[in-house]
Amino acid sequence: MAAATAAGAMLMAAAACGGSDSTTSAATPGASAPAASAVKVGLAYDIGGRGDGSFNDAAAAGLDKAVTELKVEKKELEATQGETDAQKEERLRLLASGGYNPVIAVGFAYSAPLGKVAKEFPDTKFAIVDDPVAAPNITNLLFAEEQGSFLVGAAAAIKSKKGNIGFVGGVDVPLIHKFEAGYEAGAKAVKPDIKIQSKYLTQPPDFGGFGDPAKGKTAAQGMYDAGADIVYQAAGGSGGGVFDAAKAAGALAIGVDSDQAALPAYSGVKDVIMTSMIKKVDVAVFDFLQHFVAGTVKEGPAVYDLKAGGVDYSTTGGQLDDIKSQIDEYKQKIISGEITVPSS
């Protein structure tokens, strides 16, 4: 994962390109900075938690960086499969009532619970990844997943020898639709008649599709059997199963959120991970905490897109070395506004 550097410049860029709905963690007049040593950060994970090799691990990396560089204290709480909103509320409430401030909720599944708990603790600052729930004490850490997905979709279309690729989504929700829409747009920009297979592992309110590698493997196997030679997964912890299926089929896969080919958890399948769509949750989490320590947190959305360096694609393993210039050309066209990527 890329290091969280130049955070202030990054948020300025986010404001410039995120449109009227984007805000940055700009300084709040009169805000006083808490002593870093007194800052106690609470972080509530999504399903899969620390060690998922994906979305949650990216958040954990940002938190770990804050512990090291900002000298904050931390408390982390895990989610469980099939839990209720009431359980999520209690997790957030436990952190806030325990004196943890700020509190970070990882994932859109915390939307309703956080909206309720934030009202109960108006003096606590909250952040949520991937959801726009609004309150005076909530910062929304949002990403242009469709833009990064466009790039790996273009790469898939260029590299596919069969003109047949796939997409596996963890749960059929609007957030994951952004990944699919961008992937499809990127692939069709290269090859308009390319075949794209698509499958979601679960339907809400069942969010188990983000933590079921066996389902991921079965879905990807079906796509490879049906002629796909590259499959992109936006499925959290289920993505490991997609990689296993690619390995068994002698095919390729595309990772998500982190540079998954570089992670020890996937060392046994790194050769089949052609690239990953990097979503820099670590940057957003660290950036939020840096602004909290400085007393400059502002509520509302901060949008991390290609221009802001919030999403990208990985080149670990060298499998895109021969087409990197083509992918970077698409990247610049998105940044310049020449290409507008659909999000649904």
Side-chain angles (χ1 to χ4, degrees), residues 152-153 155-157 159-160 164-169 183 195-199 201 215-235 238-239 241-247 249 251-256 260 272-277:
V152 299
K159 286 288 187 176
S160 176
N164 186 332
I165 60 177
F167 173 83
V168 174
Y183 181 65
K195 181 176 181 180
I196 305 174
Q197 303 179 54
S198 177
K199 184 174 180 60
L201 302 181
K215 282 185 178 178
K217 184 175 183 178
T218 298
Q221 280 176 334
M223 292 179 182
Y224 293 127
D225 289 345
D229 52 2
I230 301 171
V231 173
Y232 175 35
Q233 60 85 11
S238 300
V242 175
F243 299 149
D244 289 340
K247 185 84 168 180
L252 294 172
I254 296 173
V256 75
Q260 294 188 299
V272 305
I273 304 175
M274 184 181 81
T275 182
S276 293
M277 195 289 281

Side-chain angles (χ1 to χ4, degrees), residues 99-122:
Y100 291 89
N101 184 18
V103 174
I104 302 171
V106 182
F108 66 85
Y110 282 99
S111 180
L114 179 59
K116 184 175 180 179
V117 174
K119 293 177 182 177
E120 298 173 12
F121 296 89

Side-chain angles (χ1 to χ4, degrees), residues 118-119 122 124-125 134-139 298-300:
K119 293 177 182 177
T124 298
K125 296 291 186 183
N137 55 337
I138 297 177
T139 300
K298 187 175 180 181
E299 74 279 0

